[in-house]
Amino acid sequence: MNLSINDLQAYLADHYCGRANEQGMFMKLVEEIGEVAEILNKRSGRKASDAVDLQVELGSELADMIHYILAIAAINGLRTTVPNHFRICTFTGIL
């Protein structure tokens, strides 16, 4: 499924407004950044890795970061200025 950033931000504004606060969303963002750091450490060999596909995990965690960044913007009434043709999709591999 393709979803524009503008559509995602409109959804997040509707979903989170009145139910979430920016501090809570920021803490979730920090958690996701930590998860990306852990994956990057595994990919570089600085941390032991299990048999999980790190490329897929990295894509998922980066998508989670985008989610929380846009959610913070949405609950603060900020709109992104991304061209409508820019789309977010499931990270399925190397671009």
Side-chain angles (χ1 to χ4, degrees):
M1 174 173 99
N2 289 330
L3 182 67
S4 75
I5 288 183
N6 294 334
D7 290 341
L8 177 57
Q9 192 167 19
Y11 166 78
L12 293 171
D14 183 54
H15 182 74
Y16 285 120
C17 284
R19 297 180 355 158
N21 63 57
E22 61 191 12
Q23 293 84 10
M25 292 283 110
F26 181 73
M27 293 309 296
K28 294 297 286 180
L29 174 60
V30 170
E31 287 177 27
E32 298 303 335
I33 292 170
E35 290 174 9
V36 168
E38 184 173 331
I39 292 166
L40 294 176
N41 280 329
K42 288 178 180 179
R43 286 169 50 124
S44 70
R46 287 189 294 254
K47 189 169 185 176
S49 177
D50 45 20
V52 175
D53 184 345
L54 295 177
Q55 188 74 5
V56 171
E57 262 194 62
L58 179 61
S60 176
E61 298 307 333
L62 289 172
D64 289 347
M65 285 176 55
I66 292 168
H67 172 105
Y68 287 110
I69 289 167
L70 292 177
I72 291 167
I75 64 175
N76 282 288
L78 303 172
R79 299 298 277 169
T80 57
T81 54
V82 177
N84 211 21
H85 65 273
F86 184 79
R87 302 235 175 235
I88 296 177
C89 62
T90 303
F91 291 101
T92 58
I94 298 174
L95 301 175

